[in-house]
Amino acid sequence: MIKYYLSAILVSFLSLYASTSCAQTSPLSVEKIMKDPKWMGTFPENIEWGTQNNTIYFDYNPEGNSTDSLYKVTLKKLDKIEEVTLAERKAMISKYGSFNNTKTKKLYTKDNALYLYDLAKNKSSVLIDLGARLSDITFLKDETKIAFTHENNAYVLDTKNGSLEKITEFKEGKSKEEKESKLSDKNKWIKSQNLSLLEVVNERETQDSLSKAYRKMTGEKDPYVFYAGDKSISSLQVSPTAEFVTIMLMKRDRGESTNVPNYVDASGYTEELRARSKVGDDKTEASLSIYNRKKDTAYAVITSALPGITTLPDYVKDYPEREWEEKEREVIVSQAIFSADGNKAIVNVRSKDNKDRWIALLDLTDGSLKSLDHQRDEAWIAGPGIGWSFGGGTLGWLPDNKTIYFQSEESGYSHLYLLDVITGKKNSLTQGEYEVFDPFLSNDKKSWFLTTSQVDAGERHFYKMPVRGGSMQQLTELQGNNEVTLSPDEKYMAIRNSFSNRPWELYIKKTGSKDTARQLTNGQSQEFKDYAWRIPQNIEFKAQDGAMVPARLYLPEESAKNGAAVVFVHGAGYLQNAHKWWSSYFREYMFNNMLTDLGYTVIDIDYRASSGYGRDWRTGIYRHMGGKDLSDQVDGVKYLIKNHGVNPNKVGIYGGSYGGFITLMALFNEPETFKAGAALRSVTDWAHYNHGYTANILNEPSEDPIAYKRSSPIYFAEGLEGDLLIPHGMVDTNVHFQDVVRLTQRLIELGKENWELAVYPVEDHGFIEPSSWTDEYKRILKLFNESLLEK
């Protein structure tokens, strides 16, 4: 059993000694790299242009305060960064809202009031204040009219004459007639008794019946009321002509919530934190209805005719003993997206098992659907720009009112497509082994702006392309990742750029200019600059199935090399880390630098399931987490042994969340490869994780138990031979502390001794306190030094 008795002083001394030997000007220590990140400097976030195209706003913190503040740079004073005053901030136009077609006017809300901003006049005016929240705000086809939602009903405001019309009568719950029809015999008797005893109640009930009979006799029609029944009204969408209103209805049932005990609540008592349910518990229902104003009636959108809606998934073949019925699967229909002329609408439809996505033309007169594009994936539908169950992603209309655009993984990579809804003709605007991110139309609707990984899977650049496709003009040149925010007039680009060893900074460049982008911020502290942060080598190695696996490699100086290696496993599964920009895992990046100073060879692998490499890479773990994603780690170690002189008996592995899960699988299933591992905030049994993430990859436990059994570390704990550290926050509401408690009991019952549990009473999934980070990474360093180097 590992005896964790080295003091913090000794750990710091070892770090200092090894780092100094690498001739760095400022040696690293765990205490340094795990302290409050403000020591690194300040870096711009949440970039936003002012409405008049002359000011860039961003969150910044040059004073090192507890939180960021809003700062600005103007085109006239690009060398001067100024903090935005409170008065200026209050006067700013909200970045959220809805533009008219020519983007000369903008609707937005502030303090529940609806404002109209005129860009030419640089002036806002209050249109209406109903004293409560307004939502779903949009210009209608006649832009003097504005539609919005207030208290679950749609309104139209005529800005010419100032009139306000409520165009729907939607109510949650059931109608009186529906309630009456479903009364039990007992409740019918109670009502009868009540009417016989209470004269006033009886009179009112009689009067109501007489009024209805009179209206029926005289031909008067009762006003139409739409009742949501047992569902709630989620959102409304008014068509551009205000002839139709679509209604999203939701019945939320997340299943039985779990509780996470908080042992260090300020009260001194153990308090229960309500958390998510487990996979298989999500019974949420969603549907879409249409209110037809001319017919004064509403009807549901019909999904039963969608192609493939009864198709069974392939995994049922693994359960021949069960009878599987081909029946209409549950689907979720997104809110409608109307063409500008208001005559057409499309919807995004997803099967609840997430194996099918239909983009369908919605017949507004009867609620029927015509499938325009059907994407099926026996794994699960996802990828950049694809969206999710309730919509999102890239989907809309071109100005001709007959062509739609969307993204699809049909080719194996997420690309941008056009489709004619009349002829059904579809063509891809982008092609190749790269992915497209966040495309949007230019102000004049003649071009696309988009980000892609065309130059390299580890880089992101910004482009402009003709609306019907053609040559793409690359607008950014800085290496790494370029997050571009266009000025409202599209003349300038505010660029947030970073590189592998350099955090994010803000740049500006004229759109289309061949000039080099001008740097506006320089936020690194002197303490951060004093260390020569490495640029990891971006490499590929061949996996056992022939795939080329991307990775970042940290090589120590030959004089410091100790023959040991550490594999870092990024979290989230679907995330990219072997790229050329500043990692979201910046603490681990710094820790990997420190390990390299100490003589370790470090590799950081974009294993199967990582993002950025197309559909097949994304779904490589379907029904077997801990399969190819684990073998990629093993093959990475083989690459290090063959090419970089790593001792096969001196290999460790660490990672958090999904990286912690892989670490457990590595220690349990590949003990001949990994001698030590630190599994941080790790999933130990996927049947205890959430629904949205897990059900996509492993289906549901009751439907596909094989997938869960071969994917969950707790089933393989008997294979532990190396040294294992398990750090976990006790108030983790994502991967619950219960996960490691159950694994702990399993290890005890198996008689395993070479493992250690480190608990952090005040930490959630993502640690906050520097003291917790420091303690955790001291333990990880101690584990590797003792187990791999026998120090």
Side-chain angles (χ1 to χ4, degrees), residues 388-634:
W388 54 91
S389 294
F390 296 98
T394 302
L395 183 61
W397 293 88
L398 292 188
D400 65 2
N401 296 307
K402 68 171 187 173
T403 306
I404 63 169
Y405 58 83
F406 58 93
Q407 281 184 252
S408 171
E409 282 189 322
E410 180 181 328
S411 69
Y413 291 82
S414 184
H415 283 290
L416 182 60
Y417 289 79
L418 296 183
L419 187 148
D420 188 311
V421 301
I422 308 300
T423 66
K425 183 181 178 182
K426 179 174 70 173
N427 66 291
S428 58
L429 300 186
T430 57
Q431 306 91 23
E433 293 187 358
Y434 65 90
E435 297 195 307
V436 170
F437 307 89
D438 306 315
F440 61 94
L441 288 168
S442 60
N443 289 342
D444 62 10
K445 307 294 192 298
K446 294 180 179 180
S447 303
W448 289 101
F449 290 105
L450 64 161
T451 299
T452 85
S453 56
Q454 185 175 15
V455 168
D456 185 273
E459 289 195 51
R460 298 287 184 271
H461 285 285
F462 192 63
Y463 296 83
K464 187 175 184 180
M465 177 179 69
V467 71
R468 294 284 176 176
S471 178
M472 290 197 297
Q473 179 189 3
Q474 185 175 326
L475 301 176
T476 54
E477 80 286 341
L478 297 171
Q479 196 173 10
N481 192 347
N482 296 278
E483 296 179 355
V484 174
T485 305
L486 274 182
S487 60
D489 61 7
E490 300 174 351
K491 292 181 180 179
Y492 285 91
M493 301 183 297
I495 306 167
R496 203 170 79 108
N497 173 271
S498 72
F499 190 59
S500 304
N501 66 341
R502 177 176 49 77
W504 299 93
E505 299 289 3
L506 181 62
Y507 297 75
I508 189 170
K509 182 180 178 181
K510 283 188 175 182
T511 307
S513 167
K514 293 184 179 181
D515 295 338
T516 301
R518 175 173 174 174
Q519 186 170 343
L520 301 179
T521 62
N522 188 3
Q524 295 181 31
S525 68
Q526 188 58 51
E527 186 180 11
F528 184 82
K529 291 178 182 178
D530 283 344
Y531 179 85
W533 299 101
R534 289 173 174 81
I535 300 174
Q537 294 182 30
N538 286 85
I539 64 157
E540 287 185 333
F541 60 85
K542 183 175 284 190
Q544 56 196 256
D545 64 354
M548 297 305 295
V549 182
R552 299 212 296 186
L553 180 64
Y554 301 76
L555 293 176
E557 296 291 333
E558 199 63 36
S559 60
K561 196 171 183 180
N562 58 27
V566 171
V567 179
F568 168 63
V569 189
H570 70 68
Y574 191 62
L575 180 143
Q576 187 177 10
N577 206 50
H579 48 57
K580 298 179 183 178
W581 62 87
W582 187 248
S583 175
S584 57
Y585 287 89
F586 62 91
R587 290 183 179 88
E588 288 75 9
Y589 165 78
M590 292 190 287
F591 186 64
N592 291 343
N593 270 266
M594 179 178 155
L595 287 173
T596 311
D597 288 347
L598 289 167
Y600 290 92
T601 300
V602 181
I603 192 168
D604 171 6
I605 300 169
D606 270 348
Y607 51 88
R608 240 63 71 94
S610 298
S611 63
Y613 307 101
R615 180 265 171 198
D616 290 349
W617 207 263
R618 174 178 65 78
T619 61
I621 57 169
Y622 176 58
R623 298 190 69 216
H624 192 184
M625 301 158 90
K628 290 181 179 180
D629 46 355
L630 175 57
S631 64
D632 285 344
Q633 316 297 332
V634 174

